[in-house]
Amino acid sequence: MDAVHRPKLKTAFKKARVVAPLHTAGPVAVTPDGSRLVTCVGEEALLTDVKAGVEICRFAGDTESITSLCITPSASHLLLFTSSLSLRIYEIPTSSIPQTKHVKPIRVIARAHDAPVHVCKADPTSTYFASGSADGVVKVWDIQRGYVTHLFKGHGGVVSALAFNYPFDPSSVVREQKMQLITASVDTRIRIFDLSAAATRASGGSKPEAVLEGHVSVPRGLDVSPDGKWLVSGGRDAVVLVWDISSKASSPAKKSTKGKGKETAFAPVLHKTIPVLERVEAVGLLHPDEDLAGAPSGPGKLRFYTGGEKGLVRIWDAREGTVLFTLGQEQSEGTEDQEEQRQIVDAIYLPAASTVVSVHADQNILFHSLSTQTLSRQLIGFNDEIIDATFLSPHLPLQASAPSALADTHVALATNSSLIRVYSTSSLDARLVAGHSEIVLCLDRGAQGRVLASGSKDRSARIWAPVRARAGVDAVPEWRCVGICEGHAESVGAVAMSRKAFAGEGGPSASGSASGTEGLRFMFTGSQDRTIKMWDLSAVPLSASSADAEDDGEEEEGAGEARAVKCKSLTTHKAHDKDINALDVAPNDRLLVSGSQDRTAKVWEIEYSSTGAGVRGELRLLGTCKGHKRGVWCVRFGRAERVLATGSGDKTVKLWSLDDFTCVKTFEGHTNSVLRVDFLNAGMQLVSSASDGLVKLWNVREEECAATMDNHEDKVWALAVSSDESTIVSGAADSVVTFWQDCTEEQQVEKETQRAQLVEKEQDLQNYLALHDYRNAILLALNMGQPGRLHALFAALASPASSSDSSSEEPRAPSHTGHPAVDEVLRTLPGADLARLLRYVRDWNARARTSGVAQRVLHAVVKLRAAADIARAFDDEAAFTSAAITLSGDDADDDPEVGVRGEEVQEGKEGRGTTALKELLDALIPYTERHLTRMEKLLQDSYVVEHLLSEMDDGLFGELGDDADEEAADVGGGMAMDIDRAIGLAA
């Protein structure tokens, strides 16, 4: 009966999702609706669907780093500058379906500037864009035609900011045709240029309308109000200046359209200076109709945002000079390095989505909602080396004990950082959990994923709980530290929480309210100081209240840590002679196993009791597992049987019995150290990851590898299995996280479907042959790719049995293949099928046993088809095989002109067809000549045999007279005819 209920073995996992580096360095751009994001990874730009978290495509670069990029307001084009000084213009794909091929530029200008371009900006109409270089030159380009429309020189150094001013007054009947470009440079001056044709001719094309002086450091941000009246500028001098650029002189402006009068007509005025007390890297005006929570909106309101060195986005009232509210969490403590990494390098305002996107120096991209004043989405650009991972279930209710849809909705990652990453398993949305002061080395989960434990190089372990908020299940909750375990003398490299969800044996109460039966039990930590500590977690809550979170944002960080429970150590044991790498607690909370660099794994008995007098805990050594030749990197208890799995630096996984602590099985297959191991399928299978970048699935009974998953290029340190065992998450030192989905059933269904289709086709083939429907039989055999059946069909046509069977029927017409119907099939065979048949003939011709059929079919094809027809067949086949490549674009073709590209592709098809025909002939001719030589030799040998037989006849029967000679001659002739028939059959 056990065999009936035994779960089926898993045989295949597919790559369902990949969290790869999203942004390593360089500029960032967002489409106006906020749905798509362009970031830089290395020397490439990639387009990502923000909501789905899927990479749509990559844009082909020139192997140089990207210095500046922007997206047109219509989201139709991407404009990109590289350090090779080239300008590349791309069309952004409208489809959200991921593309495997790189998007080619529609235009490349090799040397757009003489110095690197650090800022570029598209105009509101998506017709022009401006670029500013490090040598103080600003160029305005026509996007569609790719030529320079304006050239402005005279900036005193690097151009630091650009802005277009196309005024639009909704109250006026006639729209004012005014086009201005506003620039800022490191000489601290802001220049306003008129882009209208008349003004450009009058000023010689380079003189500014006005030069604004007010900053004492580099202006990094410029923005103009929609009505063209207000200009805001912010810089590294920690101030924001509000300018009135609509001031005009009344009389000369109306009379003069060129010359000096135009200059005197335009006189911007500094309206207000607002100190922001931080270096400003980005500034912009909010739309007048923007609905801010708690702040009135209207046409008379002038509000702007700033982002700078403190890593916060602040919303200001420009008229009052006060901060309306702040987006982001201010963290007062931290090293200089951490503060530098936290600062904002760019901020993008999306009026359509009511969102401000901030780009930080630590490659994180944050989406702040203005209407709710909350963080709506956070994208982590680069994770560095991923050290550990575990699934979390922050939304799992206390009453849920069986697997549910709310289980394993998030995954926590420990990377080469003091910040823990918590990702949603369905998107790229993530949150950073701050608290440790050094790199986090290990993670574990407790209470079925409701809480998270972490160990760090700062010699402490922390327990984290989600903040209960009103957000939906899809949102990634904030996590707060609810418990701190301090006492180790060295780094904490291993943590293991109790596997039972609650302290009480009865489980959670039906009401779900906090009671004595709900809470954590204990936790173990292992350290480089070679000790194991047992911690009492009975006072640690399962969640952090939202009120605490708000208080944490308002008060100092130290106050938040003061509210976290200081956990008490129940016992401490010196467990090993070297560093402790791994710990695991048995599912029944009665055993603990520790793995160390001293090449051993030790099993301990846990004695834990909680009474009214207090909590008591102790460890007692039960046995030691010895047998590994290198350090033990991971240990794991079986969930169904009394077994223990260990992975070691000796490239093996060993399975140990907990009864006598002996090794019962050894799994070999990895080519480097095994770093993680876990059980699947009630202990019938194991999954392991290693330094060779592979994840392997093992069948325990056969001790063999059932599947290998390969998507990493470096050591796979992190491995986590979901509660329902349908998903495996692997994370490696190459900063890639892969979600592997169980596809065993899908694969079995697909194989069964293919087998059924094959059986149907084979039956159809037999039916066609029985009905002498040679056309459908030949086409079906070609379609199935079965040259053996095709050979048998052609061989049967010329066999003596076939001719004897049809002797009673009407006499056949002369045929090249042995049957007129087959001749007709070869005469009308489609081009691609004819080319495939000739390739089969080439293979048959290489063997003496099948060469007869090959020569007969080849003879029939040459007789029935013209030479041009055969050549065209190979061209058709080449066109058929390259159809998909032609539709998606030829990789080797960089010419943007569609007509030229089509001609080149067509020439390539014909060239490939001619080459294939030449290769076929080169393979057919040598073997055909060899067969001809063999037949000529056989014919000569037959003459020798005939001569010998005739001589023998003359010697024996010469005295019988002329009649006997005539009879002998008749016999000899019959013998010769039999030899000719034998030669014909051999051919």
Side-chain angles (χ1 to χ4, degrees):
M1 294 297 291
D2 293 340
V4 176
H5 298 288
R6 185 178 298 160
K8 292 183 179 179
L9 294 179
K10 301 179 187 297
T11 58
F13 280 84
K14 66 180 179 181
K15 185 170 58 178
R17 273 191 72 228
V18 174
V19 179
L22 177 69
H23 175 55
T24 54
V28 173
V30 188
T31 55
D33 59 357
S35 63
R36 295 179 169 196
L37 179 74
V38 176
T39 53
C40 303
V41 175
E43 289 83 29
E44 290 183 327
L46 61 90
L47 180 68
T48 305
D49 187 326
V50 174
K51 186 175 182 181
V54 177
E55 177 184 315
I56 298 175
C57 67
R58 290 185 179 237
F59 298 95
D62 58 358
T63 70
E64 296 287 341
S65 59
I66 299 170
T67 58
S68 180
L69 60 82
C70 67
I71 295 176
T72 57
S74 62
S76 59
H77 291 83
L78 171 67
L79 318 164
L80 184 148
F81 289 90
T82 67
S83 56
S84 65
L85 310 181
S86 68
L87 164 62
R88 304 171 75 84
I89 303 177
Y90 302 86
E91 282 186 350
I92 298 177
T94 55
S95 171
S96 296
I97 301 174
Q99 301 181 12
T100 56
K101 296 186 179 298
H102 284 57
V103 176
K104 300 288 181 182
I106 60 171
R107 188 178 302 279
V108 177
I109 299 172
R111 195 175 179 86
H113 279 267
D114 294 327
V117 176
H118 295 294
V119 288
C120 62
K121 186 75 176 282
D123 81 325
T125 64
S126 301
T127 307
Y128 307 99
F129 77 97
S131 59
S133 66
D135 59 359
V137 175
V138 175
K139 293 183 179 181
V140 181
W141 306 78
D142 186 292
I143 295 176
Q144 290 290 344
R145 298 174 180 83
Y147 62 83
V148 177
T149 61
H150 299 77
L151 176 66
F152 303 115
K153 297 182 180 179
H155 298 84
V158 179
V159 178
S160 59
L162 297 170
F164 281 95
N165 179 23
Y166 286 13
F168 174 67
D169 187 2
S171 61
S172 64
V173 179
V174 181
R175 179 165 183 171
E176 184 181 0
Q177 296 297 323
K178 182 180 179 183
M179 299 169 60
Q180 289 180 330
L181 176 65
I182 305 171
T183 67
S185 60
V186 295
D187 62 359
T188 72
R189 292 181 174 88
I190 299 171
R191 295 169 172 83
I192 302 177
F193 297 92
D194 196 326
L195 300 179
S196 64
T200 304
R201 286 196 300 269
S203 62
S206 62
K207 291 183 180 179
E209 270 191 305
V211 178
L212 312 182
E213 298 186 10
H215 285 284
V216 295
S217 186
V218 184
R220 290 289 292 125
L222 296 172
D223 200 11
V224 185
S225 60
D227 59 3
K229 181 178 182 181
W230 301 103
L231 165 69
V232 293
S233 62
R236 292 177 178 167
D237 51 4
V239 296
V240 170
L241 305 181
V242 181
W243 307 83
D244 183 353
I245 58 173
S246 64
S247 303
K248 295 182 181 179
S250 56
S251 55
K254 304 210 171 173
K255 273 190 196 175
S256 176
T257 58
K258 57 183 173 178
K260 297 288 183 184
K262 191 71 175 176
E263 295 177 10
T264 57
F266 188 63
V269 176
L270 177 61
H271 178 73
K272 194 174 186 64
T273 300
I274 302 173
V276 296
L277 305 179
E278 66 169 335
R279 292 196 307 271
V280 175
E281 295 292 330
V283 64
L285 286 165
L286 299 183
H287 197 275
D289 298 330
E290 185 67 63
D291 184 20
L292 302 180
S297 61
K301 295 291 181 181
L302 188 63
R303 296 159 300 183
F304 64 91
Y305 65 89
T306 59
E309 62 176 332
K310 292 184 180 178
L312 305 172
V313 176
R314 290 192 171 95
I315 309 300
W316 299 76
D317 187 327
R319 301 188 188 278
E320 301 293 333
T322 56
V323 179
L324 296 176
F325 55 87
T326 301
L327 301 173
Q329 293 182 352
E330 185 170 3
Q331 298 176 356
S332 56
E333 296 182 3
T335 62
E336 259 183 52
D337 208 18
Q338 288 175 335
E339 290 180 1
E340 185 179 346
Q341 288 293 311
R342 205 180 297 133
Q343 68 183 8
I344 292 175
V345 296
D346 193 12
I348 305 163
Y349 173 49
L350 307 174
S354 186
T355 300
V356 175
V357 182
S358 60
V359 183
H360 296 251
D362 57 1
Q363 294 102 23
N364 293 327
I365 303 170
L366 278 63
F367 288 69
H368 303 277
S369 172
L370 292 173
S371 56
T372 61
Q373 299 182 15
T374 57
L375 179 65
S376 58
R377 191 181 302 274
Q378 179 168 347
L379 305 180
I380 297 175
F382 188 62
N383 281 320
D384 206 353
E385 292 190 22
I386 296 165
I387 303 170
D388 205 355
T390 185
F391 278 99
L392 296 175
S393 309
H395 302 292
L396 190 67
L398 295 176
Q399 296 87 349
S401 57
S404 69
L406 297 179
D408 302 332
T409 55
H410 298 78
V411 63
L413 303 178
T415 67
N416 214 7
S417 163
S418 62
L419 304 174
I420 302 170
R421 276 88 163 146
V422 178
Y423 273 89
S424 168
T425 55
S426 58
S427 68
L428 281 180
D429 195 10
R431 295 293 182 270
L432 294 175
V433 182
H436 284 289
S437 58
E438 295 285 345
I439 292 173
V440 177
L441 298 175
C442 53
L443 298 173
D444 195 18
R445 67 175 191 168
Q448 298 176 339
R450 295 180 181 88
V451 294
L452 171 68
S454 62
S456 168
K457 270 189 175 182
D458 62 8
R459 300 177 294 182
S460 72
R462 289 175 179 253
I463 296 96
W464 311 85
V467 176
R468 299 299 178 194
R470 295 180 298 274
V473 174
D474 293 336
V476 180
E478 298 289 340
W479 290 74
R480 292 286 182 271
C481 180
V482 293
I484 302 175
C485 305
E486 294 177 324
H488 281 289
E490 295 290 344
S491 303
V492 178
V495 293
M497 300 190 74
S498 59
R499 299 306 175 208
K500 290 188 177 178
F502 302 98
E505 295 295 332
S509 61
S511 63
S513 60
S515 67
T517 61
E518 297 178 4
L520 303 171
R521 303 185 72 200
F522 53 81
M523 181 179 76
F524 293 95
T525 57
S527 169
Q528 282 186 352
D529 61 12
R530 306 169 192 176
T531 63
I532 297 175
K533 284 182 176 289
M534 183 178 184
W535 304 88
D536 175 24
L537 304 185
S538 57
V540 176
L542 284 173
S543 64
S545 65
S546 57
D548 290 344
E550 291 173 4
D551 293 342
D552 286 349
E554 295 172 2
E555 300 177 14
E556 294 295 325
E557 188 178 349
E561 289 203 3
R563 281 193 292 273
V565 176
K566 297 284 186 180
C567 300
K568 183 181 72 172
S569 174
L570 298 176
T571 184
T572 302
H573 279 268
K574 183 181 183 302
H576 290 273
D577 297 330
K578 290 187 178 179
D579 300 354
I580 297 173
N581 291 329
L583 295 173
D584 191 36
V585 176
N588 60 3
D589 274 359
R590 293 181 181 177
L591 296 177
L592 170 74
V593 61
S594 59
S596 168
Q597 281 297 108
D598 63 7
R599 301 179 292 184
T600 65
K602 293 186 178 181
V603 181
W604 310 77
E605 182 182 7
I606 302 172
E607 298 176 358
Y608 177 82
S609 62
S610 177
T611 61
V615 177
R616 188 181 65 85
E618 190 56 62
L619 286 177
R620 185 170 62 87
L621 181 63
L622 292 181
T624 302
C625 302
K626 296 181 180 179
H628 282 295
K629 299 176 181 177
R630 296 288 177 89
V632 177
W633 280 109
C634 52
V635 290
R636 187 69 67 182
F637 280 110
R639 300 187 184 93
E641 300 178 355
R642 287 179 54 81
V643 291
L644 166 71
T646 59
S648 167
D650 60 9
K651 312 174 189 176
T652 65
V653 177
K654 287 184 181 289
L655 202 65
W656 308 82
S657 170
L658 292 179
D659 296 326
D660 53 5
F661 308 106
T662 57
C663 178
V664 292
K665 289 184 184 293
T666 301
F667 303 88
E668 296 180 349
H670 283 291
T671 58
N672 215 326
S673 303
V674 179
L675 302 175
R676 291 290 183 271
V677 67
D678 208 341
F679 282 91
L680 290 174
N681 257 353
M684 295 174 60
Q685 289 183 297
L686 282 170
V687 60
S688 63
S689 65
S691 295
D692 55 10
L694 301 177
V695 179
K696 286 183 177 288
L697 180 68
W698 307 87
N699 292 338
V700 173
R701 186 181 297 275
E702 294 85 7
E703 294 185 45
E704 63 181 18
C705 179
T708 299
M709 293 157 265
D710 183 9
N711 192 46
H712 298 286
E713 298 176 354
D714 212 333
K715 299 175 181 178
V716 184
W717 284 105
L719 188 71
V721 180
S722 63
S723 302
D724 58 2
E725 297 183 350
S726 64
T727 305
I728 298 174
V729 170
S730 61
D734 58 1
S735 185
V736 173
V737 179
T738 308
F739 289 77
W740 304 98
Q741 192 75 28
D742 180 18
C743 61
T744 303
E745 292 187 5
E746 297 175 19
Q747 196 178 65
Q748 289 176 348
V749 169
E750 185 179 354
K751 284 182 179 179
E752 188 63 28
T753 304
Q754 290 177 353
R755 193 188 66 80
Q757 291 176 351
L758 183 61
V759 170
E760 290 179 3
K761 287 182 178 180
E762 288 180 350
Q763 185 60 49
D764 290 342
L765 183 61
Q766 296 295 336
N767 295 339
Y768 292 146
L769 290 175
L771 296 171
H772 300 292
D773 188 353
Y774 293 113
R775 167 173 289 279
N776 285 327
I778 292 173
L779 291 175
L780 184 57
L782 288 170
N783 186 29
M784 292 170 64
Q786 293 192 354
R789 291 181 177 274
L790 204 58
H791 178 272
L793 187 152
F794 286 118
L797 291 176
S799 65
S802 174
S803 59
S804 63
D805 291 342
S806 59
S807 59
S808 59
E809 300 175 3
E810 296 181 2
R812 285 182 185 168
S815 168
H816 297 287
T817 60
H819 200 290
V822 178
D823 288 1
E824 185 62 26
V825 172
L826 295 182
R827 185 183 292 110
T828 59
L829 202 62
D833 290 332
L834 178 61
R836 192 179 298 116
L837 175 62
L838 288 175
R839 286 196 170 85
Y840 291 158
V841 168
R842 174 196 62 191
D843 298 338
W844 298 338
N845 196 47
R847 300 187 187 93
R849 186 167 56 86
T850 57
S851 62
V853 174
Q855 290 294 325
R856 188 181 303 112
V857 175
L858 182 62
H859 173 73
V861 170
V862 171
K863 288 288 186 182
L864 298 171
R865 306 291 286 259
D869 201 9
I870 297 174
R872 197 179 305 112
F874 282 89
D875 289 338
D876 293 344
E877 187 195 37
F880 178 76
T881 54
S882 63
I885 301 175
T886 305
L887 288 173
S888 59
D890 195 346
D891 279 342
D893 183 19
D894 285 329
D895 195 340
E897 298 297 331
V898 178
V900 176
R901 177 163 46 196
E903 293 174 6
E904 289 182 358
V905 170
Q906 186 62 35
E907 290 175 5
K909 291 177 192 172
E910 295 176 358
R912 286 193 292 271
T914 306
T915 304
L917 180 58
K918 182 179 181 301
E919 291 175 353
L920 181 80
L921 292 176
D922 290 343
L924 283 172
I925 291 173
Y927 283 103
T928 303
E929 291 177 346
R930 183 185 300 178
H931 297 320
L932 179 61
T933 304
R934 182 167 56 84
M935 298 309 299
E936 289 178 346
K937 187 175 182 303
L938 180 62
L939 186 60
Q940 291 175 0
D941 292 345
S942 69
Y943 290 147
V944 173
V945 172
E946 181 183 1
H947 175 69
L948 290 174
L949 290 175
S950 64
E951 288 297 321
M952 290 170 62
D953 291 345
D954 291 342
L956 291 174
F957 307 105
E959 68 275 6
L960 295 180
D962 294 340
D963 295 337
D965 290 341
E966 291 176 2
E967 291 178 4
D970 293 340
V971 172
M975 190 79 70
M977 291 176 63
D978 290 341
I979 292 174
D980 290 341
R981 185 178 293 111
I983 293 172
L985 290 174

